[in-house]
Amino acid sequence: MKLRTKIKICGITNLRNASEAAGLGVDALGFVFFKESPRYIEPKKAREIINLLPSFVLRVGLFVNAPKEEVLSVISESRVNMLQFHGDEDENFCNQFNLPYIKAISFKDGINLLEYCQLFASSSALLIDTYSTKMRGGTGKTFNWDLIPKQLPLPLIVAGGLDSENVSSLINSVNPYGVDVSGGVELEKGIKDHNMMKNFVLGVNNAAI
């Protein structure tokens, strides 16, 4: 039996969805601190949610090309315990906050993930998402999973257009360390649906059997 793929639900904006996701056994919740995102949450509100979460659920703060001072302020105010960088940040920037971090890569033809593993050797994982010229993540679109290398020196998290219908196929094809979903479990941007989250978790768990 394969180990269960880790599950991150991103774009959490309210306590009800956070509590429901935690109750379903989700491993990590993502809080978007990029103000241009429709799923943006204020650090103070994120902290109110985070203070009520079970201890073993990771609280991930997502940033896009934020200044150092902003990242430090959000960490202090929200109490996230992992970071996720979706912009043009280099390893030195990502690794200066004394917290584990994930580096997101917009995946397209020609991307060398082995090179990114070397460039971000200090990261806890690489997250690969669908490339878009208009937005950093949250596109709701998949990419060609066949282009993903079978073995990488860093844990791999896959995002981009995942839902309960396709996540088992992804896991059986790629066997990633984790999967990251946002729009695939939403009624509208930032508002998750309990049944959609439940079915997504079932899809992940069924792939491990």
Side-chain angles (χ1 to χ4, degrees):
M1 189 174 82
K2 296 187 295 185
L3 293 177
R4 183 181 71 83
T5 303
K6 303 296 183 184
I7 303 170
K8 175 173 170 283
I9 293 183
C10 199
I12 294 293
T13 62
N14 61 80
L15 178 59
R16 178 179 177 178
N17 286 163
S19 299
E20 290 173 341
L24 291 169
V26 168
D27 302 282
L29 299 178
F31 299 88
V32 178
F33 299 116
F34 179 49
K35 292 183 179 179
E36 295 181 26
S37 170
R39 301 178 179 95
Y40 171 76
I41 186 170
E42 294 182 354
K44 180 180 179 181
K45 185 176 180 181
R47 181 170 180 168
E48 292 172 356
I49 297 170
I50 284 169
N51 284 342
L52 297 174
L53 289 177
S55 300
F56 290 144
V57 178
L58 281 172
R59 305 100 154 101
V60 185
L62 188 153
F63 301 88
V64 180
N65 294 330
K68 174 183 176 181
E69 294 75 17
E70 180 180 332
V71 177
L72 288 170
S73 175
V74 170
I75 291 170
S76 176
E77 191 170 358
S78 68
R79 298 291 180 86
V80 293
N81 56 11
M82 177 174 266
L83 307 176
Q84 183 172 320
F85 294 103
H86 266 260
D88 305 308
E89 306 90 355
D90 62 18
E91 184 183 33
N92 288 335
F93 183 91
C94 298
N95 199 33
Q96 66 180 317
F97 300 103
N98 296 316
L99 285 176
Y101 74 91
I102 298 165
K103 185 65 180 80
I105 309 298
S106 295
F107 195 76
K108 59 180 179 178
D109 289 350
I111 288 287
N112 187 334
L113 290 180
L114 286 171
E115 182 179 351
Y116 275 101
C117 287
Q118 296 172 349
L119 291 173
F120 294 94
S122 60
S123 67
S124 296
L126 290 184
L127 183 148
I128 55 175
D129 203 346
T130 304
Y131 175 80
S132 170
T133 57
K134 297 180 179 180
M135 54 198 308
R136 303 274 187 152
T139 65
K141 297 180 180 180
T142 59
F143 59 91
N144 186 356
W145 300 330
D146 292 336
L147 298 177
I148 301 174
K150 295 301 181 185
Q151 292 187 334
L152 291 170
L154 287 175
L156 183 67
I157 302 169
V158 179
L162 297 181
D163 56 31
S164 61
E165 299 294 326
N166 63 17
V167 70
S168 293
S169 295
L170 166 73
I171 292 170
N172 291 328
S173 173
V174 179
N175 192 27
Y177 172 78
V179 289
D180 190 339
V181 65
S182 187
V185 293
E186 284 183 337
L187 294 171
E188 58 184 271
K189 291 186 185 299
I191 306 300
K192 314 303 183 190
D193 178 77
H194 181 267
N195 286 331
M196 292 172 76
M197 290 193 291
K198 179 180 178 181
N199 289 334
F200 186 85
V201 171
L202 286 172
V204 174
N205 292 342
N206 288 339
I209 297 173

